[in-house]
Amino acid sequence: MTAIILDGKALSSKVLDELKTRVTRGVQPTLGIILVGEDSASELYVRLKKDACTKIGGEFVLKRLPASAGTRQVLAAIDAFNNDSSVDGILLQLPLPKGTDAAECLAAISPEKDVDGLNPINLARIFERKPGFVAATAKGIMALLHANGVELAGKRAVVIGRSPDVGIPIAGLLLAEDATVTIAHSKTANLAEVCRDADIIVSSVGKAGIVTPEMVKDGAVVVDVGTNFVESGGKRSVVGDVDPRVCEKASYVTPVPGGVGPMTIASLLENLVEAAQERAATA
Ligand code: NAP
């Protein structure tokens, strides 16, 4: 079997075109971005998010803080965006420098402006099956699975990774669509055995090649969230968590790059446009 590639780049481009039409006909959204420190990967992700925001006709305000800022300064920046009526949505780019409390900062983002969906109130809403902003990466993965007709109800899913930004929300969304979900993590005994029964594997670990063909049953759907920068022959490139040989066994695989990454950005902007429309409707 050769896996079908779940093309996140193509689908995200379609989503962004649709958002542009919505923005042209309706409200212009503004994204408030907080970037702390000078991590090169974070700089890249913020640039991609700014470009996509511009592409749909939205505006952004970028608040840069030094790596030494600390929790209090980040909280002050969040507070300023929370109280700025011209800002519809807030993106706090992760990871934050060591010593800055990410959980406290994410909890301080107003749930109505939490377009990345990482405030604990919005995370809980996934499990409560209540409306709210869904974490952008998890929302993007579901959109990619739905667009390709991947069936979820009654399927066995293994999510590798239990972070509040990826593993937990995607597990909640799969559960809400009636998959039987196992969450694996660094203390899981015999990960290969746990995965071998799965119809769907979502890997969000951040370790290149951790998902090997031996862990994947024939015909499984494999979603690769991992973003790992590797050096080879003096060249830096990005690879996922999934060993490329998995394509010989799986039915569907998301590529890295070009799979989950672009869908995360599209979903963030979908949330932003919704936030702007909600603001306009209640103004
Ligand atoms: P994280 O907070 O570091 O979480 C990693 C998770 O992997 C943890 O739950 C950890 O378990 C688990 N883990 C580590 N080693 C393991 C092992 N040997 N076996 C099984 N589980 C193991 O990272 P994250 O924020 O969730 O991100 C994960 C990856 O996704 C990173 O590469 C990140 O760059 C990428 N990412 C991509 C996107 C995108 O849009 N494409 C978005 C977000 C993140 P413990 O909980 O036990 O420590």
Side-chain angles (χ1 to χ4, degrees), residues 106-210:
L106 291 169
I109 296 174
S110 159
E112 290 71 37
K113 293 192 179 191
D114 175 36
V115 289
D116 216 12
L118 301 181
N119 177 294
I121 292 173
N122 280 320
L123 283 176
R125 283 175 179 158
I126 293 177
F127 291 89
E128 294 164 345
R129 303 197 188 190
K130 286 186 180 157
F133 287 121
V134 171
T137 301
K139 179 172 172 157
I141 292 170
M142 295 306 278
L144 201 49
L145 296 176
H146 289 153
N148 287 277
V150 173
E151 279 183 31
L152 302 171
K155 303 292 180 191
R156 288 187 204 188
V158 173
V159 176
I160 317 175
R162 57 177 165 181
S163 72
D165 49 322
V166 189
I168 296 298
I170 189 63
L173 292 178
L174 290 168
L175 191 62
E177 296 215 15
D178 297 327
T180 301
V181 182
T182 301
I183 304 176
H185 45 78
S186 67
K187 308 291 185 296
T188 296
N190 207 342
L191 181 65
E193 201 174 289
V194 170
C195 290
R196 262 198 294 272
D197 272 346
D199 302 301
I200 299 155
I201 298 175
V202 179
S203 183
S204 58
V205 176
K207 286 191 179 152
I210 190 169

Side-chain angles (χ1 to χ4, degrees), residues 63 74-85 87 90 113:
K63 174 74 182 170
V74 178
L75 288 173
I78 291 169
D79 200 41
F81 279 154
N82 278 342
N83 292 308
D84 182 343
S85 61
V87 170
I90 301 171
K113 293 192 179 191

